[in-house]
Amino acid sequence: MEKEKANAKIKVNEKGLSIFSLSEQVAIVTGGGSGLGRAMALGLSEAGASVAVVDISAEGAKRVADEIRAKGGKAISIQTDVTRSPQVQAMTQEVLKAWGKIDVLVNSAGVVLRNPALEYTEEQWDRVIGINLKGTFLCCQTIGKVMVAKEKGSIVNIASIGGLVAYPGCIAYLASKGGVVQITRGLAVEWAKANVRVNAIAPFVMETPMVKAVREKEPAHFQRMVEKAPIGRVGQPEEMIGAVIFLASSASSLTTGHILAVDGGYVAQ
């Protein structure tokens, strides 16, 4: 056992930072047209991946794909509603047609709608659960079939601290992100023997267009959230890049079913 540990250590040391490389890898990023998805798509490209930028906004997806190509990376853009199975299947086939394989899936498409629980409408509930939870599952299931068949792949779901702790005014969002946490764990257990790893990142309040809308509408709620975080500030989308590269790459080859909080210490309290 000690010899095995020593050999493993030598191997990692010999590889150095190359274990974080995504060269020759193909990655899909849903919700890649803005916010966290954009930052992670750019980061995966910088690590060497060819990136399919997927978003319900064709304009947003194209803008980010163009940005990647302008920096010398490889990217395509695909308009997709992740709540529609036929569209998810068509998107998957388009990526396979372009590059012949899928190594990494990052499920970043999401939405938050705030309202007190007693006033939460059925339409609000259906939209949040549909995009955040159903959309994540449909992408995992459809692309997971490709990965399981090839016995290789890494899925990174974007959960939230709202999937780990509670706060008022976001009942559907909390339910959806708690569901993402359990989808992540469940699929990790099912697909481990097929060499398909499934992990999630649980970010804190990040400086994105979606969060900006909440801050403008409910500044007191926003301020309470930020003040409760030990780090005492809002996060930046670029602070997701290290986490997503780690979970997507061979650097995390023994990590599956893990929820990585990128939260300035929020859930440590």
Side-chain angles (χ1 to χ4, degrees):
M1 182 62 72
E2 291 303 319
K3 184 178 180 181
E4 289 175 3
K5 289 181 179 179
N7 288 339
K9 185 176 181 180
I10 291 170
K11 188 175 181 181
V12 169
N13 286 342
E14 287 174 349
K15 284 186 174 181
L17 292 178
S18 68
I19 59 174
F20 294 95
S21 173
L22 295 173
S23 178
E24 308 295 326
Q25 303 289 291
V26 172
I28 295 173
V29 181
T30 72
S34 65
L36 301 185
R38 171 188 170 273
M40 291 186 290
L42 289 167
L44 292 171
S45 174
E46 289 173 3
S50 299
V51 181
V53 183
V54 175
D55 203 283
I56 197 167
S57 166
E59 181 182 352
K62 182 180 182 302
R63 183 169 56 247
V64 175
D66 288 345
E67 191 174 356
I68 290 171
R69 288 192 291 265
K71 294 183 177 182
K74 296 179 181 179
I76 58 174
S77 62
I78 308 173
Q79 181 182 25
T80 305
D81 181 346
V82 296
T83 70
R84 305 298 180 189
S85 182
Q87 292 192 35
V88 173
Q89 293 174 24
M91 174 268 290
T92 303
Q93 291 306 311
E94 189 168 342
V95 176
L96 290 173
K97 182 179 179 181
W99 288 314
K101 64 174 184 169
I102 301 169
D103 301 292
V104 177
L105 166 65
V106 179
N107 281 307
S108 186
V111 65
V112 58
L113 297 175
R114 286 184 50 76
N115 223 359
L118 294 178
E119 300 170 19
Y120 219 88
T121 69
E122 184 176 356
E123 290 74 22
Q124 288 177 315
W125 178 273
D126 287 347
R127 184 172 181 225
V128 172
I129 296 296
I131 296 172
N132 296 2
L133 189 55
K134 179 184 176 182
T136 293
F137 174 70
L138 288 179
C139 290
C140 283
Q141 183 186 52
T142 303
I143 295 161
K145 289 178 182 177
V146 177
M147 293 179 170
V148 168
K150 294 292 185 181
E151 296 190 334
K152 181 180 183 295
S154 176
I155 296 174
V156 183
N157 294 324
I158 304 305
S160 166
I161 58 167
L164 302 173
V165 299
Y167 41 82
C170 279
I171 192 63
Y173 185 78
L174 300 180
S176 70
K177 293 303 185 177
V180 169
V181 166
Q182 286 300 85
I183 283 176
T184 299
R185 291 169 173 161
L187 295 181
V189 171
E190 284 199 32
W191 296 344
K193 286 185 170 60
N195 195 35
V196 176
R197 298 182 299 107
V198 188
N199 294 288
I201 302 173
F204 177 56
V205 177
M206 296 286 185
E207 192 66 60
T208 65
M210 187 167 65
V211 169
K212 181 181 179 181
V214 173
R215 180 175 59 191
E216 291 175 351
K217 185 177 180 181
E218 298 182 77
H221 166 74
F222 181 88
Q223 191 60 32
R224 282 194 301 270
M225 292 288 290
V226 173
E227 288 175 354
K228 188 174 179 181
I231 203 169
R233 65 171 175 83
V234 67
Q236 298 300 316
E238 291 72 23
E239 292 179 293
M240 295 284 285
I241 293 174
V244 77
I245 290 175
F246 168 66
L247 292 176
S249 70
S250 62
S252 59
S253 58
L254 195 61
T255 304
T256 194
H258 181 66
I259 314 300
L260 176 57
V262 178
D263 68 343
Y266 193 97
V267 301
Q269 303 173 95

